[in-house]
């Protein structure tokens, strides 16, 4: 069943904003520019459009595939040769648009083409009755045909109100079966192409967190942190957004109590390069609407 008229227009408007901000933001990724400044200015663009961030702007370099963002002490600048993933989530009243592009500051056109062609071809296949495994098959094919590895342990995902990871999951490799697509499903497709192993693991760097439970908390700094993320409705937040000098102690305590979870940076092997492209789609009776086109 399609989302009702209001939900549909929120999804589509969020998608338009995400697409415009991502395009404008991409133009700021230039050698010598400061990462923190660019991340903050792109996040500000979303708010200037009257929308909210569904998660902190993910900006991940080279072998880092996902879940990095600027820290408040961020010193990095963009350098020649960098492969930069910009992954943006915008929401209107909780209806989310999730979209990503890769910016090449080196000589990696074919790597970028691989994830982009995988996304384009997968989107063309979307309609009721098709399986998520079939989308994975075309994604894997387009990436391997160009000599790269799809990242097998990252997937696209369903979207629901205020929720970024719901069924169906959309694999980046061929899969027998999987979810059968139905009219009205909303999900993100996000192929990753890698020069490395095609698998990501967790780095020690952690900048993104999410509240996953509501429990009474005694530690004042932890209580204050929860209060400051309450209006996020459980959507992820950045350490940078809650920085008051006591945030690390508060986060450690909240993680210990099972109230907050962390999202470590996910990376392929050191020295590898990863590209990503992502759009959000809504399945219609005979195809799909790409909200972030
Ligand atoms: Mn994304
Ligand atoms: Mn996504």
């Amino acid at each position: 069943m399609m989302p009702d008229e209001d939900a549909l227009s929120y999804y589509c408007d969020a998608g338009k904003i995400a697409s415009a901000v991502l395009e404008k933001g991409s133009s700021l990724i230039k050698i010598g520019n400061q990462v923190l400044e660019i991340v903050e200015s792109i996040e500000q663009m979303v708010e200037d459009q009257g929308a909210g961030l569904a998660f902190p702007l993910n900006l991940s370099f080279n072998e880092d595939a996902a879940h990095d963002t600027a820290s408040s002490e961020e010193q990095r600048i963009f350098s020649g040769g960098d492969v930069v993933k910009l992954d943006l989530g915008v929401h209107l009243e909780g209806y989310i648009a999730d979209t990503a592009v890769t910016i090449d500051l080196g000589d990696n056109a074919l790597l970028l083409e691989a994830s982009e062609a995988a996304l384009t071809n997968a989107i063309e296949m979307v309609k009721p009755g098709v399986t998520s495994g079939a989308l994975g098959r075309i994604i894997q094919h387009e990436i391997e045909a160009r000599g790269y590895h799809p990242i097998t342990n990252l997937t696209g995902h369903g979207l629901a109100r205020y929720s970024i990871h719901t069924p169906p999951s959309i694999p980046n490799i061929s899969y027998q079966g999987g979810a059968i697509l139905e009219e009205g499903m909303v999900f993100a497709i996000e192929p990753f192409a890698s020069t490395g192993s095609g698998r990501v693991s967790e780095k020690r760097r952690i900048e993104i967190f999410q509240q996953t439970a509501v429990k009474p908390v005694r530690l004042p700094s932890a209580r204050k942190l929860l209060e400051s993320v309450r209006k996020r409705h459980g959507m992820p937040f950045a350490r940078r957004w809650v920085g008051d000098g006591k945030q690390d102690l508060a986060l450690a305590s909240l993680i210990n109590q099972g109230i907050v979870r962390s999202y470590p940076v996910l990376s392929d092997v050191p020295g590898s390069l990863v590209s990503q492209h992502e759009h959000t789609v809504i399945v219609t009776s005979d195809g799909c609407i790409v909200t972030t086109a």
Side-chain angles (χ1 to χ4, degrees), residues 119 122-123 126 135 139 156 170 187-191 277-281:
L119 177 59
I123 288 172
V126 173
L135 300 185
I139 288 169
I170 310 294
F187 55 85
I189 306 175
E190 50 182 313
H277 285 83
E278 179 176 27
H279 276 307
T280 296
V281 304

Side-chain angles (χ1 to χ4, degrees), residues 209-229 237 242 246-262:
F209 298 84
Q210 178 181 23
Q211 183 176 0
T212 53
V214 180
K215 289 182 197 170
V217 172
R218 246 183 273 159
L219 187 69
S221 62
R223 200 181 291 175
K224 181 174 166 231
L225 190 151
L226 285 186
E227 181 53 34
S228 74
V229 300
F237 59 90
V242 295
K246 292 184 179 155
Q247 76 283 351
D248 291 344
L249 182 70
L251 286 166
S253 159
L254 290 164
I255 288 168
N256 249 319
Q257 293 172 82
I259 298 170
V260 164
R261 66 156 289 183
S262 64

Side-chain angles (χ1 to χ4, degrees), residues 4 20 25 29 32 43 46 68 74 84 92 111 122 148 153 160 169 183 196 199-200 215 223 237 243 248 258 272 293:
D4 68 41
I29 311 293
E43 289 183 344
V46 173
D68 200 0
E74 188 64 59
V84 181
L92 286 169
L111 178 68
Y148 302 107
N153 57 341
S169 113
E183 184 176 358
R199 284 191 71 78
V200 289
K215 289 182 197 170
R223 200 181 291 175
F237 59 90
D248 291 344
S272 63

Side-chain angles (χ1 to χ4, degrees), residues 84-103:
V84 181
K85 276 75 62 186
L86 214 48
D87 189 337
L88 176 67
V90 167
H91 81 93
L92 286 169
E93 299 292 326
Y95 297 97
I96 297 168
D98 185 3
T99 181
V101 290
T102 301
I103 298 99

Side-chain angles (χ1 to χ4, degrees), residues 115-155:
S115 51
E116 189 163 32
L119 177 59
T120 305
N121 282 278
I123 288 172
E124 273 175 19
M125 286 184 62
V126 173
K127 63 178 181 184
V130 171
T131 64
S132 61
L135 300 185
R137 188 160 65 87
I138 190 81
I139 288 169
Q140 177 174 17
H141 172 78
E142 292 298 326
I143 292 172
E144 289 181 348
R146 289 168 177 83
Y148 302 107
H149 298 293
I151 292 188
T152 57
N153 57 341
L154 289 175
T155 67

